[in-house]
Amino acid sequence: MQTAKTVVVYGATGHTGRFIVAELIERGYAPILSGRDAARLEGLAKEWDGLSVRAATADDPESLDRALAGADAVINSAGPFAVTAGPLVEAALRAGIPYLDVAAEIEANAGTFADYAEAAREAGVPVVPAMAFFGGLGDLLVTAAMGDWTSADEAHIAYGLTSWHPTQGTRTAGAVSHQRRAGQRVRFRDGELQYHEDKPVQQDWEFPEPLGKRAVVAEFTMADVVTVPSHLAIPEVRNYMAVEAARDLAGEDTPAPVAVDDQGRSDQTFVVDVVVRAGDAERRITARGQDIYAITAPLVVEATHRILTNQTHVTGVTSAGKIFDAKDFLKSLSPVLLTA
């Protein structure tokens, strides 16, 4: 009888980490619970009938090596990723196992691509940052929309979220990013990340149903500005965020997400609308689903599964759209993610 492959989930007790653990179990994998708080990990293990626990801290390489010993892959869901990504990538390279994370932090993701490209390539180890709702999904959608195009002038990724009740992890990561940018905003234009102090601008975006026309904040920049340009020749990548969601995120009193179904999902629904333009030509693709934190679990677990079953195009530090068949990957997530 073949033993189930083991995947270390670092940050397993977090909001997204719990979704990832549940998804791994559903897919027949054996999660190893890891993170900083041994007591919380033990409590979570009891909820799942005694899963393995390996406590570790990002500032202790030996503890990370023990946590990853003998595992088949590691998924990092513990932010801020400015603190955890580097040490976990290095530990994964020492162990010779694939690393994936769910980072939405632009600078942390850019750092992973910049700092570990050579080491990951030499080790022949896949390193996939931002394999999540922000970064990974947008990259898959843009790649699928491009089709046979080898380049485009612009990619527009609009997020229609009915609400956004941020987790504490989201708030903490956002504070770290804000500090690293000294309060500046960021965009991807002329083939590079640009930091600026322009005031946010609102405009209308025609989302497909069920959202329809919504006011959005233009240049509400997310991790797509790292993942998409990492492999596609598109000199301008723009993000847009529904005004309602942006206000929720900014609100100090906005509560954390509350489960409304037996899967633990909130009542938040989303439509991600992607438009790529090359000259006068335009291509569009849309994805719909429920709960941006919950959908991250099937995204990163499907990615892990494809890596461990050799359904990949490249190795080293890479994005979802480059390492996987984007259209097939998106199709595999139905019915939790519907694309058109």
Side-chain angles (χ1 to χ4, degrees), residues 137-147 154-157 224 228 231-232 234 237 274-276 285 326 330:
L137 178 57
D139 184 44
L140 288 165
L141 290 168
V142 171
T143 305
M146 288 281 287
E154 304 168 350
H156 301 263
I157 307 164
D224 311 304
V228 171
H231 70 108
L232 294 174
I234 306 177
V237 180
V274 169
V275 177
V276 292
I285 188 171
L330 292 167

Side-chain angles (χ1 to χ4, degrees), residues 3-8 30 32 54 64-74 91-92 94-98 308:
T3 303
K5 293 198 173 191
T6 56
V7 178
V8 175
I32 297 173
R54 298 180 184 177
L64 292 175
D65 289 344
R66 290 192 296 270
L68 272 54
D72 294 292
V74 57
R94 290 194 298 272
I97 62 174
L308 293 179

Side-chain angles (χ1 to χ4, degrees), residues 158-243:
Y159 291 101
L161 279 56
T162 55
S163 63
W164 189 351
H165 289 196
T167 64
Q168 185 56 50
T170 295
R171 291 193 181 280
T172 301
V176 170
S177 291
H178 185 79
Q179 184 178 23
R180 292 181 75 174
R181 299 174 195 162
Q184 291 183 306
R185 301 176 67 228
V186 63
R187 61 189 168 212
F188 188 83
R189 183 181 293 177
D190 300 325
E192 62 180 9
L193 289 175
Q194 299 178 355
Y195 291 85
H196 62 93
E197 297 181 354
D198 298 349
K199 293 182 178 180
V201 174
Q202 291 187 21
Q203 66 181 75
D204 288 335
W205 187 277
E206 289 282 355
F207 287 97
E209 294 301 330
L211 293 186
K213 182 184 287 188
R214 294 284 180 116
V216 296
V217 179
E219 290 190 342
F220 193 99
T221 306
M222 304 304 294
D224 311 304
V225 298
V226 177
T227 56
V228 171
S230 73
H231 70 108
L232 294 174
I234 306 177
E236 186 163 349
V237 180
R238 293 188 182 185
N239 286 129
Y240 308 80
M241 179 63 67
V243 166

Side-chain angles (χ1 to χ4, degrees), residues 18-29 294 297-298 301-302:
R18 287 172 173 265
F19 282 120
I20 293 170
V21 171
E23 185 72 19
L24 284 167
I25 293 171
E26 178 70 20
R27 295 288 298 266
Y29 286 90
V301 172
E302 175 65 18

